[in-house]
Amino acid sequence: MSEMRLIVAGAGGRMGRALTRVISETPGAVLVGALEAPGSEMLGKDSGMLAGLGTNGVLLSADLWSMSSEADGILDFTVPGATIANVAIAAERGLVHVIGTTGLSASDMAVIKSVTSRAVVVQSGNMSLGVNLLAAVVKRVAQALDESFDIEILEMHHKAKIDAPSGTALLLGEAAAAGRQIALDQRSARGRDGVTGARNAGDIGFASLRGGTVTGDHSVIFAGAMERIELTHRAEDRTMFAQGAVKAALWAHGKKPGFYTMTDVLGLNEF
């Protein structure tokens, strides 16, 4: 198969620059488009220069329709509004749409899934191998331990992150909920403050910390009587997310239309 021609959405941001670098290092992948928001001061700049690679001739543009005419896929780590705006064009063009955007609402996910009868979408709150392996382990542990073990999820990110809990924390929460065969949206506890009363048995708790330049730390704590199990993942560089996203795009190239996750990409469905 020829090289997969990829567009990076949010190419002027930190994640977009990391994606540009990883594409340049990955056999079988080539950058053909760099998307930025209308009105961005980055428009017209060279994506290679922004990524520290030197000039590559792919200039940042806000016109996804035009650049997508010569593309096979789009890597999208932006914000919910931008991602939803990209969904229709990506589907119309037949692009593989790899979505790492966090903070997506239930209605956003409904829009994304509405195109998967005719388009290939790979979506995950975290694209790293380690986190997705952790999620598989969390599901198994939650399945093995009954409600006498409370589940708490703690995450910390850099001070500029705008959504909480993180997409990764929610991914881990969904894994725990699947292990317990419960609905996370009905059994999650967030933002405890003041006199909250005792913890409800069976709830999955979330706590979010923000500060400094932390790329992403996540712990899932199973707290029982007189013992505690803690499963932790620490991200040291966002390059690993970019590597996972490019891997997902290459895996999805040529797949049948549908909604996929990193569990599918990494073959963890039977773990």
Side-chain angles (χ1 to χ4, degrees):
M1 186 178 291
S2 59
E3 287 184 316
M4 187 175 188
R5 302 164 298 176
L6 296 170
I7 294 167
V8 170
R14 289 175 296 181
M15 192 63 208
R17 298 181 196 203
L19 287 164
T20 298
R21 290 192 295 272
V22 169
I23 290 170
S24 74
E25 299 163 357
T26 303
V30 61
L31 182 71
V32 297
L35 183 68
E36 256 301 335
S40 170
E41 63 182 14
M42 297 288 183
L43 294 176
K45 293 188 176 182
D46 186 278
S47 59
M49 291 295 290
L50 290 174
L53 299 172
T55 303
N56 65 7
V58 181
L59 305 183
L60 273 65
S61 166
D63 187 357
L64 177 57
W65 181 255
S66 294
M67 72 176 72
S68 61
S69 66
E70 300 295 329
D72 302 305
I74 178 170
L75 308 178
D76 191 339
F77 288 71
T78 53
V79 296
T83 294
I84 295 307
N86 296 338
V87 164
I89 293 176
E92 183 69 19
R93 286 293 200 191
L95 305 183
V96 170
H97 197 169
V98 177
I99 300 174
T101 300
T102 60
L104 295 166
S105 67
S107 61
D108 292 332
M109 289 303 300
V111 172
I112 290 167
K113 290 183 178 180
S114 72
V115 305
T116 56
S117 62
R118 56 193 174 93
V120 177
V121 174
V122 182
Q123 186 274 332
S124 179
N126 192 299
M127 295 284 174
S128 86
L129 171 62
V131 161
N132 285 279
L133 283 170
L134 175 60
V137 173
V138 166
K139 180 179 178 180
R140 282 295 185 88
V141 174
Q143 190 174 36
L145 300 176
D146 62 23
E147 288 188 357
S148 66
F149 279 80
D150 299 317
I151 303 174
E152 293 285 318
I153 299 173
L154 173 67
E155 56 101 346
M156 183 170 185
H157 284 82
H158 54 88
K159 62 186 178 183
K161 186 169 178 59
I162 61 174
D163 59 303
S166 69
T168 302
L170 294 172
L171 181 152
L172 295 171
E174 291 287 0
R180 289 274 173 92
Q181 296 186 324
I182 59 176
L184 182 64
D185 60 353
Q186 297 175 16
R187 300 298 299 274
S188 65
R190 307 185 191 181
R192 299 184 181 104
D193 184 42
V195 181
T196 62
R199 188 187 197 284
N200 293 322
D203 279 357
I204 297 174
F206 291 85
S208 299
L209 308 178
R210 297 289 179 265
T213 58
V214 179
T215 300
D217 293 350
H218 294 85
S219 293
V220 182
I221 304 164
F222 294 85
M226 297 172 287
E227 62 179 331
R228 187 168 68 248
I229 301 165
E230 298 186 10
L231 305 174
T232 298
H233 179 274
R234 302 189 191 283
E236 297 179 357
D237 192 289
R238 57 181 41 87
T239 298
M240 67 181 211
F241 306 128
Q243 290 170 337
V246 175
K247 179 183 178 71
L250 293 174
W251 175 88
H253 196 198
K255 288 287 188 296
K256 294 180 180 179
F259 180 81
Y260 302 96
T261 70
M262 286 301 285
T263 300
D264 300 300
V265 175
L266 300 173
L268 294 173
N269 285 309
E270 302 303 319
F271 183 84

